[in-house]
Amino acid sequence: MTACNKNLALEEATRIVNYIEKGELTQEEKDRIVKDSISNFNENVNPGWLQYRKSVSTNEAFVEWTDSEEHFEDLYGTQFIDCLGGFGIYTCGHRNPAILKTVKAQLDKYALHSQELVDPLRGYLAHLLAQITPGDLQYCFFTNGGAEAVEMALKLARIATGGRWYISTVGAFHGKSFGAISMGGKGAYREDYLPMIQQVQHVEYGNADAMEAAIKNLQTVGEKVAGVIIEPIQGEAGVIIPPMGYLKAVRDICDKYGVAMICDEIQTGMGRTGTMWRVEVEDVTPDIMTYGKAFGGGIMPITGIIARPNMWTQKLIDNPWILGSPTFGGNPLACSAAISTIKYMLENDIPSICKEKGDYFMEKLGVLQKKYPTVLKTFRGSGLLICMEFPEAEVGYEVTKGLFARKVMTAGTLVNAKTVRIEPPAVLTYETIDQVIERLDGALADAKEAFKL
């Protein structure tokens, strides 16, 4: 263990600040940053992280340093087309100039809030969100990460209904905090933490009858259900799209039994799937909805929940902090980014762009699937949330690695490359999409040869 050395820390911090503030780095400085990064991650982050993250870069270390619109670059200027989109955060692109301008302007005023005076941007953002969400969704609570937003949704369901049980779905992903992972439907992320929140049942995704049976059985034996939590499309499970009518059926079931319907729109929302919110496809208004990822415009982290008035009980009005009190939740910088993101999305109709470019991607994938049916088993998606499925994880890994070598970034879903996502920024041009398809063609050909498919 390294002994405390404040003088050494000051020297190190000064050098790093210089890297950040400097316009152009020397070759020596770039080499030093790469060397430092490998050492720092192995010694101070997690020795397994680089081994895991280098899944598509073999033994070569790519240190991310700059980005713009549809690309990001490493220290040496190697440019990658982003078809991962930070798992959905870059719907508006990398460092979108319009959103960045707003955040910089806010930074010149004040960055964080006093915690006591009225912060106007939080109020403005909540009002705007009520205007762009379905039905009578009205009251907002802002958080910093997706799992934190899910925690607030789960707590609110209990406060509002008096219930204690939750119904989730097999294959679900709602984050990795203790409550959120209790709702998760993938064993690998749950096993080390058992027992978790005990009052949780998981049912088959897309099966409304199974959902109703679980609620009915619990209530029959005297157990009250607080909420149902579902993703309108299961993202990390492999872009699983439920049958049309599923969300509406779940809405009816929740109404029938007095259960809060929680829709997790953290990945599917903010235009990603071709509508501002995926629940709009079935004209459904959940009782509580979570949002995040693209909500901060790819500039600032901000997530949260919005709820219907009947969820906001007198207990929450009497004690506004009973739900939670995140120090940085809804801070001015994050709110300025989200407000500017909403403006940008509405001005440019980003949901429609996601739908049109998603349809274009899917059409091109259809051609490749016919060309390589033994490699690209199938594909599916909505808007720019698209998934390619391969016969085995090793095949998908080979394709992903081939794309990375061709300077296109993609990734599997929940550490499994059997399904590989395409989740690019909406600002990706059609010319760039054609480049991605051309490079994917090459990667599929290589995988076919490597596995003799």
Side-chain angles (χ1 to χ4, degrees):
M1 181 180 292
T2 305
C4 177
N5 190 326
K6 294 179 181 177
N7 290 332
L8 186 62
L10 175 58
E11 181 183 331
E12 177 91 343
T14 301
R15 179 169 61 87
I16 298 164
V17 167
N18 180 60
Y19 291 155
I20 297 169
E21 294 180 349
K22 193 173 181 181
E24 185 66 37
L25 300 173
T26 66
Q27 183 70 27
E28 182 181 358
E29 288 171 330
K30 292 175 182 178
D31 293 344
R32 174 69 186 272
I33 291 170
V34 172
K35 182 180 177 181
D36 287 347
S37 297
I38 294 170
S39 174
N40 292 338
F41 271 83
N42 285 332
E43 295 180 16
N44 300 110
V45 180
N46 184 333
W49 200 91
L50 284 179
Q51 185 66 32
Y52 171 73
R53 295 310 302 177
K54 76 172 189 181
S55 58
V56 291
S57 58
T58 62
N59 293 319
E60 199 171 355
F62 286 89
V63 176
E64 189 171 346
W65 196 246
T66 59
D67 65 355
S68 61
E69 307 266 13
E70 45 179 42
H71 300 91
F72 61 89
E73 294 182 356
D74 79 344
L75 265 172
Y76 302 102
T78 307
Q79 193 174 77
F80 293 84
I81 299 172
D82 185 8
C83 277
L84 175 59
F87 308 122
I89 63 177
Y90 290 116
T91 302
C92 292
H94 292 254
R95 285 193 302 124
N96 180 296
I99 301 168
L100 191 60
K101 178 184 177 183
T102 305
V103 175
K104 284 182 174 180
Q106 179 58 38
L107 187 59
D108 286 336
K109 292 180 173 63
Y110 66 114
L112 300 176
H113 51 306
S114 70
Q115 309 292 331
E116 186 62 25
L117 299 181
V118 174
D119 177 30
L121 297 191
R122 194 188 315 190
Y124 279 131
L125 179 57
H127 184 64
L128 282 170
L129 201 55
Q131 291 177 320
I132 67 167
T133 48
D136 60 346
L137 288 168
Q138 180 176 349
Y139 291 107
C140 295
F141 188 97
F142 298 118
T143 48
N144 305 282
E148 188 182 14
V150 168
E151 295 286 346
M152 297 306 115
L154 298 175
K155 291 166 71 177
L156 179 57
R158 281 195 171 183
I159 290 172
T161 67
R164 289 294 176 263
W165 282 80
Y166 301 99
I167 311 296
S168 187
T169 57
V170 175
F173 182 78
H174 298 290
K176 294 174 186 166
S177 59
F178 210 69
I181 207 168
S182 297
M183 305 299 137
K186 189 173 176 67
Y189 287 101
R190 293 167 48 85
E191 291 161 357
D192 289 329
Y193 304 108
L194 295 172
M196 310 177 114
I197 293 177
Q198 295 295 285
Q199 296 99 329
V200 183
Q201 282 193 13
H202 292 78
V203 299
E204 181 186 17
Y205 184 69
N207 187 338
D209 291 339
M211 183 80 71
E212 181 168 19
I215 296 171
K216 183 179 179 181
N217 290 342
L218 282 168
Q219 296 201 351
T220 298
V221 298
E223 301 284 2
K224 183 169 175 55
V225 179
V228 161
I229 182 166
I230 56 172
E231 299 158 271
I233 294 175
Q234 283 192 332
E236 298 302 322
V239 189
I240 307 300
I241 303 173
M244 186 59 70
Y246 174 64
L247 298 177
K248 191 173 284 292
V250 173
R251 173 71 275 177
D252 292 342
I253 291 164
C254 289
D255 289 338
K256 180 178 178 181
Y257 293 94
V259 171
M261 181 183 186
I262 305 169
C263 283
D264 185 344
E265 289 260 20
I266 289 170
Q267 187 163 194
T268 55
M270 292 302 287
R272 170 60 60 179
T273 60
T275 49
M276 186 64 84
W277 310 99
R278 179 63 187 180
V279 293
E280 293 177 42
V281 171
E282 293 193 31
D283 194 25
V284 164
T285 301
D287 295 300
I288 306 168
M289 189 169 76
T290 65
Y291 45 85
K293 293 199 184 293
F295 191 60
I299 304 289
M300 293 295 297
I302 179 169
T303 64
I305 65 172
I306 185 167
R308 301 173 77 179
N310 62 305
M311 292 286 105
W312 225 258
T313 64
Q314 190 62 42
K315 184 175 285 188
L316 284 169
I317 296 169
D318 292 340
N319 183 358
W321 304 116
I322 194 170
L323 188 62
S325 53
T327 302
F328 302 111
N331 69 75
L333 279 182
C335 286
S336 71
I339 291 166
S340 192
T341 299
I342 291 171
K343 175 178 179 288
Y344 180 84
M345 284 196 166
L346 294 176
E347 281 179 341
N348 295 279
D349 197 2
I350 293 300
S352 292
I353 290 175
C354 285
K355 183 182 186 310
E356 291 163 10
K357 291 181 178 176
D359 289 346
Y360 186 78
F361 249 119
M362 297 276 278
E363 179 185 343
K364 298 292 184 179
L365 287 174
V367 174
L368 291 180
Q369 201 275 329
K370 289 177 182 177
K371 187 175 180 180
Y372 303 102
T374 57
V375 185
L376 182 53
K377 184 178 176 183
T378 188
F379 61 92
R380 56 187 169 269
S382 180
L384 286 174
L385 181 59
I386 299 169
C387 173
M388 301 180 290
E389 186 172 329
F390 302 96
E392 301 292 340
E394 291 78 10
V395 179
Y397 170 76
E398 187 71 19
V399 173
T400 305
K401 189 167 67 172
L403 281 170
F404 191 87
R406 291 168 172 85
K407 305 300 180 281
V408 177
M409 171 61 81
T410 55
T413 54
L414 272 189
V415 304
N416 187 337
K418 184 176 181 180
T419 54
V420 172
R421 78 187 84 203
I422 296 175
E423 199 168 350
V427 298
L428 208 68
T429 66
Y430 285 98
E431 180 184 2
T432 303
I433 294 173
D434 288 340
Q435 291 176 20
V436 171
I437 294 298
E438 181 183 348
R439 296 177 195 186
L440 176 58
D441 191 329
L444 291 169
D446 288 351
K448 180 180 180 179
E449 175 64 26
F451 288 91
K452 308 300 180 188
L453 294 170

